[in-house]
Amino acid sequence: MGDPRGFINVPRKEAGYRPAKERIFDYGEVEQTLNVKDRKLQAARCMDCGVPFCHWGCPVNSKIPEWQDALYRGELEEAYAILSSTNSFPEVTGRICPAPCEKSCVLAIHEEPVTIRENECATVEQAFDAGIIKPRPPKVRTGKKVAVIGSGPAGLAAADLLNRAGHHITVFEKNDAIGGLLRYGIPDFKLNKRVIDRRLELFVDEGIEFKTNVNVGEDITKDELLGNFDAVLLAVGAEQPRDLPVEGRDLKGVHFAMEFLSQQNKVVAGKNVPDEVKISAKDKNVLVIGGGDTGSDCVGTSIRQQAKSVTQIEILPKPPEERENNNPWPYWPNTLRSSSSHE
């Protein structure tokens, strides 16, 4: 723990968002960043608890107190090494993760939690700026070849770990660009696609091979895969939206979220979407069913497409603003980090 009294003396300070009157007219990232001094102070708030529930709450088991301490001490290389030991792309999770770590932070029982997610993003961005993050191909190859089918978060993370182990990795993607949900699901105002491309350049330099526009089962057969590779890893995702069998479901103007979001991502990337299939919220009264991250992405996208109005409905009750009766994790909250679109 860098500063034993940090959590007492330093209040939580978030980087905040670009002004709404500015950000709703473009697809640039909405989150701002704190300067290095402020970020070190925020890292000082980590209490290095005896039982770090933040580590338990993190889906990738990030060693949060350790890299927070290194960030506070200005040891960027050490901080990034700890962070990347359990996470293949912390620059992505630092932007879009709902941050269950912060809701499980012990400090959050009575105070505001540590800005773990923002600190994570700052750590990796500072490491990039300092030239710390460089290609590190494995020194020894096993001679084994592995095919990874699907280039979303799971496929990319698996490819990275298998490559680090020394295997020869080929990633197959049916779309025209690598990234899966990161590329064509999450809007650019939350995740600039240059962030993905920067990491992919590192993966290529480290020896991973990527093949786009390959629909496994059609463009390449299972016999070819099994004949050319020692192992095949399926990371194709579900891509099965939850439908509502209700009256009027078949009417014009009712769409699944991913149809809407992926189209806009392609438009932002400069790709052509034919008018006959284009989904536009411009001058329409939009209803978004579902209050999670995907719903908020639809809210933000509809606003940027200049919808006449946007209404969002959610089946669950509104969560309390603060913990009730000091309920510990995981009994509170009902939801995780809210989105800039919600706010």
Side-chain angles (χ1 to χ4, degrees), residues 37 59 76 108 189-190 192 240 259 272 331:
K37 179 181 178 182
L76 281 180
F189 55 79
K190 282 187 177 177
N192 186 295
Q240 182 63 48
E259 296 174 349
N272 180 53
Y331 303 106

Side-chain angles (χ1 to χ4, degrees), residues 177-198:
I178 298 297
L181 184 70
L182 303 178
R183 178 74 62 180
Y184 287 133
I186 299 171
D188 289 66
F189 55 79
K190 282 187 177 177
L191 178 63
N192 186 295
K193 301 310 177 256
R194 174 58 193 151
V195 174
I196 306 171
D197 295 335
R198 182 178 59 181

